[in-house]
């Protein structure tokens, strides 16, 4: 299998040179193969979310290199990083839905700059919601949904752009048991369909669907379980 | 192009999706544009009235000078000027300021010969009778309102004169829709005015009408006349033609409008700050939204396009609303408060119909100003949020 994402000696420091300096990641090197599923785990503050953000081209490392499909992202412009993000789908811990938009618009808003018409977008949203068991919620606003439903909408948004990889940050942390089980099933199904999964979690049920689990502690990679 | 319109449409949608934010922005812009449009409209209206007064006024205005200062002219000068070839009419006039009532309300007393006083005209309620034996006055609407005067009201003596004082009677009230200059006016006969100011046989100016083509030579002839004043020496004349008076108009008008514009610039600066503060109130929401858009594949220029469309629609709404509200303010609210900014001594609620004219240039300027205020207030924070890494914007 080809390597989809790779980090080489990646370090991320926030507020460098100040008394508030935080070394969120320290010299992390790893690779993620295409169509694989990996998970990062570790205690709070271990750098899971930061690593996910770096892999998702949402931030730049302070030191080290990140490669996406063999391309070094270090010298890429902001616009090029955005183009790369279009090949990815994100599921955020807090769902990151836009409160003023209806569910179908939240799901397909990322497709507007890709030229998809309103009619096509609504149709796509409907099919994704059907798949995720929320067919009747298409015109609801996020605040009208439960946490589990919002997370499924967030997954639908991640899937809408047919991404090569889905990055999910603590996807079950805000869900009850039943919703978490449903969500894991959706992620499994997505992976089975050929999408690479990169997850961060300390939920054993989430870690169970990953082929490789990286353990982080204080920003350093301390173990790899296969 | 379709992509452009799809993104532009999201700008319109954003406007509707954040009604509070949009409403506050529109209100802030309107709060500076409405007074500006109303003020400039009023200023143009006043200028029009002044120009009309000139256009329908005398060809030459003659005043007396001594030691370089304006002094009354002996009434005898009327006959001397009438003799000049080309003069068709000479109207002596007394114009003077006085104050009336316990609150010392300012008024302008104008005295004209009996034959020139308005009789049976639509813009005066009442008329001069010539037979009451009392001083007769037609008063302006604002003055009448302030002094609670009606047709038939008696005014006790309010002046001191060597000929003694007399009761005065209000025989007419000027109509509220008569021109602006009537607001604080007291119109009376030349004789009454001379007695009120205790200046018998003297007038403040002569209004000279000329036959076509004679104005210049009449002016020269008048300047040659030196009117002897038995007790105080010789009076020289100053003659102002219609054009010369017209050339004085813009300076006064521009001065007042200039002061207003200065205030407006200050207001404009405050509005931009206010806009930054109000958009700052929704800034965290806006930043997070932009962060989500960036994280999910929106380019910075696409986010900016969305912001520009949203801002332009906001400014269009604000500017259009301002034009409508300014019109309503001037037309139906009769320039409530703002008229007193432009017109000295006018009440906050004018009791006469104020003149105004909304002209295209300030309206277009309003759109431009609105765009500058809105774009600087909303686009800058949008741009700031769009250039940071998405994760930072989403925090």
């Amino acid at each position: 299998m080809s390597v989809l994402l790779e980090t080489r000696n990646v370090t991320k420091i926030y507020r460098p040179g100040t008394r508030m300096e935080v070394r969120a990641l320290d010299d992390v090197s790893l690779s993620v193969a295409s169509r694989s599923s990996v998970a990062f785990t570790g205690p709070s503050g271990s750098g899971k979310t930061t690593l996910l953000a770096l892999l998702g081209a949402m931030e730049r490392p302070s030191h080290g290199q990140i490669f996406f499909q063999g391309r070094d992202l270090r010298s890429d412009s902001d616009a090029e990083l955005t183009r790369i993000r279009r090949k990815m789908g994100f599921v955020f811990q807090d769902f990151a839905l836009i409160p003023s938009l209806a569910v179908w618009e939240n799901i397909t808003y990322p497709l507007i700059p890709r030229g998809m018409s309103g009619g096509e977008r609504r149709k796509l949203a409907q099919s994704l919601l059907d798949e995720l068991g929320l067919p009747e919620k298409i015109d609801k606003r996020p605040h009208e949904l439960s946490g589990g439903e919002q997370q499924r909408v967030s997954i639908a948004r991640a899937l809408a752009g047919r991404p090569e990889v889905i990055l999910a940050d603590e996807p079950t942390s805000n869900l009850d048991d039943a919703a978490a089980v449903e969500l894991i099933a959706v992620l499994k199904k997505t992976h089975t369909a050929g999408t690479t999964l990169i997850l961060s979690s300390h939920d054993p049920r989430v870690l169970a669907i990953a082929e490789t689990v990286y353990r982080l502690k204080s920003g350093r990679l301390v173990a790899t379980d296969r | 192009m379709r992509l452009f319109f799809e993104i532009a449409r999201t700008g319109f949608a954003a406007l509707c999706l954040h009604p509070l934010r949009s409403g506050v922005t529109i209100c802030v812009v309107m709060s500076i544009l409405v007074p500006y449009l109303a003020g400039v409209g009023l200023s143009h209206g006043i200028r029009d009235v002044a120009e009309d007064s000139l256009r329908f006024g005398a060809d030459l205005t003659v005043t007396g000078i001594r030691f370089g200062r304006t002094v009354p002219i002996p009434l005898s000068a009327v006959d001397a000027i009438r003799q000049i070839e080309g003069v068709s009419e000479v109207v002596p006039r007394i114009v003077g300021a006085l104050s009336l009532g316990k609150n010392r309300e300012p008024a302008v007393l104008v005295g004209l010969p009996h034959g020139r006083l308005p009789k049976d005209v639509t813009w005066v309620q009442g008329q001069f009778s010539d037979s009451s034996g009392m001083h007769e006055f037609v008063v302006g609407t604002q003055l009448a309102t302030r002094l609670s005067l009606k047709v038939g009201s008696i005014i006790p003596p309010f002046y001191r004169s060597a000929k003694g004082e007399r009761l005065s009677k209000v025989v007419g009230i000027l109509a509220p829709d008569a021109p602006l200059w009537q607001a604080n006016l007291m119109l009376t006969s030349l004789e009454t005015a001379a007695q009120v100011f205790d200046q018998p046989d003297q007038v403040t100016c002569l209004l000279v009408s000329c036959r076509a083509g004679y104005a210049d030579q009449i002016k020269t002839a008048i300047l040659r006349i030196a009117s002897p004043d038995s007790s105080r020496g010789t009076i020289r004349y100053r003659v102002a033609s219609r054009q010369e008076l017209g050339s004085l108009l813009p300076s006064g008008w521009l001065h007042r409008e200039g002061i207003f514009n200065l205030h407006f610039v200050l207001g404009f600066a405050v509005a931009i700050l206010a806009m930054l503060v109000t958009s700052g109130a929704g800034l965290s929401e806006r930043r997070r939204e932009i962060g989500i858009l960036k994280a999910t594949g929106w380019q910075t220029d696409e986010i900016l396009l969305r912001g520009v469309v949203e801002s332009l629609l906001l400014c269009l709404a604000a500017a259009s609303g301002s034009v409508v509200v300014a019109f309503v303010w001037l037309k139906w609210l009769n320039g409530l408060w703002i008229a007193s900014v432009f017109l000295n001594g006018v009440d906050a609620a004018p009791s006469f119909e104020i003149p105004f004219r909304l002209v295209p240039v300030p309206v277009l300027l309003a759109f431009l100003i609105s765009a500058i205020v809105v774009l600087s207030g909303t686009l800058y924070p949008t741009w700031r949020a769009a250039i940071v890494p998405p994760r930072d914007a989403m925090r």
Side-chain angles (χ1 to χ4, degrees):
Chain A
M1 279 196 288
S2 61
V3 174
L4 182 74
L5 273 161
E6 187 182 357
T7 66
R8 284 186 201 162
N9 310 109
V10 163
T11 298
K12 180 67 183 178
I13 304 167
Y14 290 109
R15 297 179 289 274
T18 68
R19 284 192 303 171
M20 309 274 283
E21 181 178 301
V22 175
R23 189 171 280 260
L25 278 181
D26 192 1
D27 200 26
V28 172
S29 297
L30 57 85
S31 64
V32 178
S34 264
R35 295 169 175 266
S36 67
S37 59
V38 302
F40 305 120
T41 190
S44 291
S46 59
K48 302 184 295 289
T49 300
T50 301
L51 183 53
L52 220 58
L54 290 170
L55 289 171
M58 292 220 278
E59 277 190 303
R60 292 174 191 272
S62 306
H63 306 290
Q65 291 166 277
I66 298 172
F67 295 88
F68 179 77
Q69 293 176 329
R71 175 189 178 135
D72 187 353
L73 303 186
R74 200 169 32 176
S75 54
D76 276 353
S77 67
D78 182 56
E80 283 161 337
L81 290 183
T82 304
R83 241 171 262 130
I84 285 167
R85 282 199 294 275
R86 288 182 179 179
K87 297 178 181 177
M88 302 173 174
F90 296 88
V91 179
F92 299 95
Q93 188 176 353
D94 61 356
F95 322 130
L97 300 174
I98 298 174
S100 50
L101 295 178
V103 162
W104 77 271
E105 288 174 303
N106 260 295
I107 292 170
T108 58
Y109 224 61
L111 303 177
I112 294 173
R114 301 181 210 182
M116 191 180 273
S117 71
E120 288 171 319
R121 287 193 293 116
R122 193 178 164 91
K123 219 164 133 186
L124 174 64
Q126 185 66 71
S127 72
L128 286 165
L129 288 171
D130 289 347
E131 224 172 282
L132 293 167
L134 297 171
E136 75 287 1
K137 306 286 185 184
I138 190 160
D139 290 317
K140 300 277 185 208
R141 306 269 158 186
H143 67 86
E144 297 174 287
L145 306 178
S146 68
E149 288 170 334
Q150 289 191 51
Q151 192 62 296
R152 275 187 276 172
V153 171
S154 175
I155 290 179
R157 179 178 62 190
L159 293 171
R162 299 186 186 283
E164 292 177 31
V165 55
I166 284 190
L167 299 103
D169 185 17
E170 306 268 11
T172 57
S173 65
N174 285 325
L175 306 182
D176 59 31
D177 270 0
V181 169
E182 273 180 35
L183 180 91
I184 289 164
V186 171
L187 289 174
K188 258 186 193 169
K189 194 176 161 191
T190 307
H191 178 52
T192 310
T195 307
T196 307
L197 280 186
I198 304 178
L199 313 165
S200 92
S201 182
H202 27 227
D203 183 341
R205 293 169 298 183
V206 174
L207 300 181
I209 64 170
E211 293 153 1
T212 308
V213 176
Y214 293 102
R215 293 186 186 280
L216 293 161
K217 191 177 178 187
S218 303
R220 297 186 74 92
L221 201 56
V222 290
T224 307
D225 305 331
R226 292 180 194 277
Chain B
M1 190 51 89
R2 185 180 137 190
L3 178 60
F4 176 87
F5 283 115
E6 279 292 330
I7 293 171
R9 203 178 57 78
T10 65
F12 173 69
L15 192 80
C16 308
L17 289 171
H18 304 286
L20 182 66
R21 193 171 76 191
S22 304
V24 168
T25 305
I26 289 172
C27 286
V28 168
V29 176
M30 282 179 69
S31 66
I32 54 159
L33 278 187
V34 170
Y36 171 70
L37 286 173
V40 173
L42 192 57
S43 169
H44 280 271
I46 295 166
R47 190 188 198 185
D48 290 348
V49 170
E51 284 173 352
D52 283 350
S53 300
L54 265 183
R55 196 176 312 124
F56 299 113
D59 297 316
L60 300 172
T61 304
V62 181
T63 49
I65 47 170
R66 185 188 283 146
F67 297 119
R69 287 176 180 267
T70 307
V71 292
I73 301 171
L75 203 50
S76 57
V78 173
D79 288 333
I81 292 174
R82 270 193 193 127
Q83 306 301 318
I84 299 171
E85 190 189 353
V87 171
S88 56
E89 188 178 27
V90 180
V91 178
R93 187 175 68 175
I94 293 174
V95 180
L98 47 81
S99 51
L100 288 171
K102 60 180 178 191
N103 293 328
R104 316 287 295 161
E105 298 295 347
V108 176
L109 179 66
V110 174
L112 291 172
H114 263 294
R116 304 289 301 184
L117 289 172
K119 283 183 185 158
D120 201 20
V121 289
T122 55
W123 46 278
V124 176
Q125 179 200 342
Q127 59 177 305
F128 290 97
S129 69
D130 304 337
S131 59
S132 68
M134 286 190 273
H135 291 329
E136 293 187 342
F137 291 98
V138 167
V139 297
T141 42
Q142 178 163 287
L143 198 61
T145 308
R146 284 182 178 178
L147 296 173
S148 308
L149 298 175
K150 297 185 195 106
V151 175
S153 295
I154 303 294
I155 308 174
F158 56 92
Y159 58 90
R160 285 194 173 271
S161 172
K163 283 190 174 177
E165 294 82 37
R166 277 202 268 172
L167 290 176
S168 304
K169 185 179 180 186
V170 176
V171 293
I173 307 281
L174 287 149
D177 59 348
L180 166 75
W181 45 257
Q182 58 79 21
N184 287 332
L185 188 74
M186 289 181 80
L187 189 60
T188 188
S189 67
L190 205 61
E191 295 73 25
T192 301
Q195 189 170 347
V196 168
F197 291 117
D198 200 12
Q199 298 287 331
D201 301 323
Q202 310 232 48
V203 295
T204 47
C205 58
L206 303 175
L207 307 174
V208 181
S209 300
C210 313
R211 294 211 298 271
Y214 280 86
D216 286 341
Q217 75 183 61
I218 292 170
K219 182 179 175 182
T220 310
I222 293 172
L223 289 173
R224 280 201 205 108
I225 302 173
S227 181
D229 185 333
S230 57
S231 60
R232 302 185 189 92
T234 306
I235 293 174
R236 298 275 170 198
Y237 294 122
R238 179 192 284 150
V239 184
S241 66
R242 197 198 308 263
Q243 290 76 15
E244 284 165 339
L245 287 178
S247 66
L248 294 174
L249 266 187
S251 60
W253 179 73
L254 288 173
H255 170 72
R256 189 143 282 221
E257 195 170 78
I259 291 171
F260 181 76
N261 282 338
L262 181 69
H263 288 151
F264 177 72
V265 166
L266 293 175
F268 180 61
V270 170
I272 289 181
L273 291 175
M275 277 291 297
L276 289 170
V277 170
T278 52
S279 49
L283 192 60
S284 59
E285 182 196 3
R286 184 182 285 269
R287 266 181 75 87
R288 184 168 162 74
E289 192 176 300
I290 290 166
I292 293 169
L293 294 181
K294 284 278 283 186
T296 55
W298 279 62
Q299 295 283 11
T300 300
D301 56 353
E302 290 161 349
I303 290 170
L304 287 176
L305 171 62
R306 179 179 183 261
V308 166
V309 171
E310 184 186 356
S311 299
L312 287 179
L313 288 171
L314 277 174
C315 93
L316 202 66
S320 310
S322 300
V323 172
V324 172
V325 174
F327 180 81
V328 168
W329 193 2
L330 294 171
K331 180 78 180 171
W332 285 302
L333 297 181
N334 201 30
L336 190 71
W337 173 77
I338 199 157
S340 61
V341 174
F342 269 82
L343 298 165
N344 274 338
V346 168
D347 289 338
S351 50
F352 56 93
E353 196 171 290
I354 55 133
F356 76 92
R357 182 161 58 97
L358 286 176
V359 290
V361 171
V363 172
L364 290 173
L365 204 61
F367 279 89
L368 183 69
I369 291 163
S370 168
I372 291 170
V373 175
V374 175
L375 287 175
S376 54
T378 62
L379 204 57
Y380 176 68
T382 302
W383 175 75
R384 283 286 301 272
I387 56 166
V388 298
R391 197 174 166 221
D392 285 352
M394 286 172 70
R395 277 199 182 102

